[in-house]
Amino acid sequence: MGWIKYCVDWGILGFLVLLSIISMGIVLERWLTMRKIRVADFADKGALELVVTSRLHLVASIGSNAPYIGLLGTVLGIMLTFYGLGASGFVDSGKIMTGLALALKSTAVGLVVAIPSVACYNLLLRKAKVLLLKWDLHHG
């Protein structure tokens, strides 16, 4: 039973950390790319839009799904806590509280991944819109 809790706990947390690294890597790459873009170099607005919005959907997907992945870890942690208590045959409030507190860390980590991802997505989307408006002004 202990190894299952360990796998669920570290599997969910590890996956969330991986998603965070992916999200922040994309954000950094997109920010650096957008800083170097010169709208005058693009004759077609569609080509510019493809360049500036590339991979933004991944950041948005990570930001919107990380809380659910954290919640999944919390639910599995709570289920394992109650299963362990039921299997032991007696109720220990200390074990319940410790198990629930540890289970909730998955939700907290999910939010720690989601909040910066969503904020960075919104910043990048705004930057993309500004570049597209600059293209309109330059080529209009």
Side-chain angles (χ1 to χ4, degrees), residues 12-13 15-21 23-24 59 62-67 69 106-119:
I12 297 290
L13 292 178
F15 186 59
L16 286 168
V17 168
L18 175 66
L19 289 177
S20 179
I21 291 168
S23 178
M24 290 303 110
V59 177
I62 289 170
S64 62
N65 288 302
I69 295 166
S106 294
T107 298
V109 173
L111 292 172
V112 166
V113 173
I115 293 168
S117 293
V118 170

Side-chain angles (χ1 to χ4, degrees), residues 6 21 24 35 37-38 41 93 102 105 118 127 131:
Y6 180 79
I21 291 168
M24 290 303 110
R35 284 184 54 195
I37 288 178
R38 292 181 347 121
D41 294 343
S93 63
L102 292 176
K105 78 175 171 243
V118 170
K127 180 73 173 162
L131 288 170

Side-chain angles (χ1 to χ4, degrees), residues 47-103:
L48 174 62
E49 188 169 2
L50 284 174
V51 170
V52 298
T53 61
S54 176
R55 291 185 295 283
L56 286 184
H57 65 284
L58 294 173
V59 177
S61 294
I62 289 170
S64 62
N65 288 302
Y68 295 115
I69 295 166
L71 185 59
L72 173 65
T74 297
V75 169
L76 291 173
I78 290 170
M79 287 172 52
L80 290 170
T81 299
F82 285 136
Y83 180 81
L85 288 170
S88 70
F90 68 96
V91 176
D92 179 7
S93 63
K95 279 189 173 184
I96 293 173
M97 295 305 145
T98 302
L100 295 178
L102 292 176

Side-chain angles (χ1 to χ4, degrees), residues 37-45 47-49 51 135 138-139:
I37 288 178
R38 292 181 347 121
V39 294
D41 294 343
F42 291 86
D44 182 47
K45 185 178 181 180
L48 174 62
E49 188 169 2
V51 170
W135 187 93
H138 186 266
H139 291 87

